[in-house]
């Protein structure tokens, strides 16, 4: 019985592996607004990962571990999962990287995701997000991401702040959608307190007098705001 069972199982596996691939089902997370990865790109990676290196036709042509490894090596993919169901369909689930901030230094330009990991710009797609410029080093990535996430999650801040600039004195500044005035932020620390102070300043003063009165609003000093008039 064991021999017969083993024979039947081996026969079933070989028959399954010789089946023509019925369909390739691809699900790309957040594909409704992020288009770094397309179905065509995924299918190309699947075919290049096949046993013949050209095109996967049968189930046995699919090398799952190699396919996942090649998908994960794509700079715009954070995670992938590949499996074959009993109907002979290849199922591929893709998580795309989501930019939090776009960084531009004198040497390169790239995105940072929520983990502070950098990845390149795409030739095919650009996602609008806050831009940070200046000589920003790797050690600052995590703190910069935390700051930009706080800005993006607040309607007041994201509607006023259009970019972040690091100057030669290693001080970060916010450029606003109002010409002639900027916010001196200082170092990337005490983010919650600084932004809370800024919003309170908006509420108590700027809503009444407007931005036109000031040329600079400084948050760099602990627990206080210094506003410089024109």
């Amino acid at each position: 019985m064991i021999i017969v069972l083993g024979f039947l199982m081996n026969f079933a596996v070989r028959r399954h592996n010789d089946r023509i691939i019925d369909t390739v089902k691809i699900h790309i997370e957040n594909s409704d607004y992020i288009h770094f990865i397309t179905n065509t790109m995924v299918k190309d990676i699947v075919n290049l990962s096949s046993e013949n290196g050209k095109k996967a036709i049968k189930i046995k042509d699919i090398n799952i571990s190699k396919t996942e490894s090649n998908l994960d090596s794509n700079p715009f993919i954070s995670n992938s999962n590949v499996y074959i169901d009993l109907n002979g369909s290849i199922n591929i689930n893709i998580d795309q990287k989501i930019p939090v901030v776009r960084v531009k230094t004198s040497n390169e330009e790239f995105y940072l995701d929520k983990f502070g990991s950098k990845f390149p710009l795409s030739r095919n797609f650009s996602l609008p997000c806050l831009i940070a410029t200046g000589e920003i080093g790797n050690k600052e990535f995590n703190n910069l991401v935390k700051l930009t996430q706080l800005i993006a999650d607040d309607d007041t801040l994201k509607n006023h702040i259009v970019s972040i600039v690091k100057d030669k004195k290693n001080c970060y500044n916010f450029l606003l959608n109002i010409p002639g005035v900027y916010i001196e932020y200082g170092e990337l620390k005490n983010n919650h307190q600084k932004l809370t102070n800024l919003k309170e300043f908006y509420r108590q003063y700027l809503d009444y007098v407007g931005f036109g009165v000031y040329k600079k609003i400084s948050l760099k000093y602990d627990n206080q705001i210094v506003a410089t008039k024109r």
Side-chain angles (χ1 to χ4, degrees):
M1 289 181 64
I2 294 175
I3 294 175
V4 171
L5 181 60
F7 174 80
L8 292 175
M9 289 180 64
N10 183 59
F11 176 77
V13 169
R14 285 194 300 170
R15 185 176 180 182
H16 178 72
N17 288 339
D18 282 332
R19 290 183 60 177
I20 301 296
I21 295 173
D22 182 47
T23 55
V24 178
K25 299 177 181 178
I26 300 173
H27 172 72
I28 302 176
E29 195 72 21
N30 300 313
S31 60
D32 55 331
Y33 71 101
I34 300 177
H35 311 293
F36 289 128
I37 299 296
T38 64
N39 284 9
T40 300
M41 294 167 65
V42 173
K43 288 180 180 179
D44 288 343
I45 294 174
V46 171
N47 289 329
L48 289 173
S49 306
S50 66
E51 295 297 341
N52 59 29
K54 295 180 180 179
K55 186 175 182 180
I57 298 173
K58 296 183 178 182
I59 297 297
K60 64 182 180 182
D61 295 333
I62 296 294
N63 185 324
I64 291 179
S65 61
K66 184 179 179 182
T67 302
E68 288 185 342
S69 177
N70 287 342
L71 287 169
D72 290 342
S73 66
N74 186 287
F76 302 108
I77 295 177
S78 61
N79 184 58
S80 66
N81 177 252
V82 180
Y83 65 93
I84 303 170
D85 62 28
L86 296 177
N87 295 322
S89 296
I90 310 300
N91 295 268
I92 303 174
N93 296 316
I94 301 290
D95 289 332
Q96 295 185 89
K97 291 183 179 178
I98 303 176
V100 174
V101 59
R102 181 169 174 165
V103 178
K104 184 176 182 179
T105 71
S106 59
N107 298 318
E108 59 180 336
E109 191 169 358
F110 52 88
Y111 290 119
L112 294 177
D113 66 13
K114 64 181 180 180
F115 303 108
S117 298
K118 60 187 290 188
F119 62 101
L121 305 185
S122 170
R123 296 179 181 178
N124 306 314
F125 174 72
S126 177
L127 184 72
C129 59
L130 200 61
I131 296 177
T133 61
E135 301 312 304
I136 301 170
N138 295 354
K139 294 181 179 180
E140 300 170 280
F141 288 173
N142 284 329
N143 287 332
L144 179 61
V145 164
K146 291 175 183 177
L147 173 61
T148 53
Q149 284 181 312
L150 289 173
I151 294 172
D153 290 340
D154 188 279
D155 289 337
T156 300
L157 297 175
K158 73 180 181 182
N159 288 333
H160 284 95
I161 300 170
V162 296
S163 66
I164 301 173
V165 178
K166 181 183 178 184
D167 62 25
K168 294 181 179 180
K169 298 179 181 179
N170 294 323
C171 176
Y172 282 85
N173 303 307
F174 296 160
L175 299 186
L176 307 178
N177 56 0
I178 302 165
V181 59
Y182 72 96
I183 295 174
E184 185 181 51
Y185 190 77
E187 298 180 20
L188 297 178
K189 63 179 184 179
N190 302 326
N191 294 327
H192 283 279
Q193 187 60 54
K194 285 182 178 180
L195 296 180
T196 298
N197 291 345
L198 177 61
K199 288 193 293 181
E200 189 65 19
F201 185 73
Y202 278 180
R203 189 182 66 83
Q204 292 188 18
Y205 299 100
L206 293 181
D207 281 349
Y208 298 98
V209 301
F211 279 95
V213 175
Y214 303 102
K215 63 179 181 181
K216 182 177 77 172
I217 300 168
S218 180
L219 306 175
K220 68 183 295 185
Y221 306 103
D222 291 339
N223 297 319
Q224 61 178 317
I225 292 180
V226 178
T228 304
K229 290 186 176 182
R230 294 181 185 276

